[in-house]
Amino acid sequence: AAIPTIRRIVDQGGKAILLSHMGRPTGHKYSVLRHNPEQKQRYLSIWADEAGVGYTTFFSICSGEEKRKILSWSSVAEQSNSLSEMEGAGKTDLFSSLSNEEKRSLLKRF
C-alpha cells in the first residue's frame, strides 16, 4: 500500500524519506510487564541508562549464536559460556549488565 504513495511523491518531484522499525524487542512483552512492576522498572532503567541508544535492544534481536559470539568477547565471557543458545537463557540480561562503553565496542566489533 505504501508503494503507490512513494511513487506519487517521487513523480511529483518530492523526496520520500522512508523510516522503519524492527518492532518490539524480543522478551519485552507488554502483557508480562504490565503485571510485573519490578521487571517493567528494570527494562525502563536499562533504557534510561543507555540514554535511548538501544544497545541492548539491538542485541536482543540477534540470534542465539550471534549473542554467544558477542558475549564471548566481553568481560562476562566466562559467565556466558554456561548459557545455551536457546531463547530465554539469559544472554540479553547478561549483556544489559555491561557498561555502555563495553556494549558499544562489542557491537562495533560484531
Side-chain angles (χ1 to χ4, degrees):
I3 302 244
T5 304
I6 295 166
R7 284 191 178 137
R8 186 172 56 238
I9 291 169
V10 173
D11 289 345
Q12 293 177 1
K15 293 184 181 181
I17 299 173
L18 305 177
L19 301 174
S20 180
H21 65 87
M22 298 164 108
R24 187 186 314 258
T26 305
H28 298 252
K29 296 182 177 143
Y30 176 73
S31 60
V32 173
L33 295 178
R34 182 176 50 159
H35 299 297
N36 188 338
E38 185 178 303
Q39 191 176 18
K40 179 180 179 181
Q41 188 58 43
R42 186 170 65 85
Y43 285 129
L44 290 173
S45 71
I46 289 168
W47 180 256
D49 181 50
E50 291 184 351
V53 293
Y55 299 129
T56 302
T57 302
F58 177 83
F59 181 84
S60 73
I61 63 171
C62 293
S63 71
E65 184 179 333
E66 292 169 335
K67 288 177 182 179
R68 293 229 19 219
K69 182 178 185 176
I70 293 168
L71 286 172
S72 73
W73 303 325
S74 73
S75 61
V76 293
E78 207 166 292
Q79 289 175 271
S80 71
N81 290 336
S82 64
L83 301 174
S84 78
E85 288 184 12
M86 301 297 293
E87 185 176 336
K91 294 175 293 298
T92 301
D93 287 339
L94 192 56
F95 182 82
S96 71
S97 70
L98 301 173
S99 70
N100 282 341
E101 295 78 32
E102 186 173 6
K103 290 176 192 175
R104 181 176 49 246
S105 81
L106 289 169
L107 292 177
K108 278 180 137 180
R109 182 177 178 185
F110 178 67

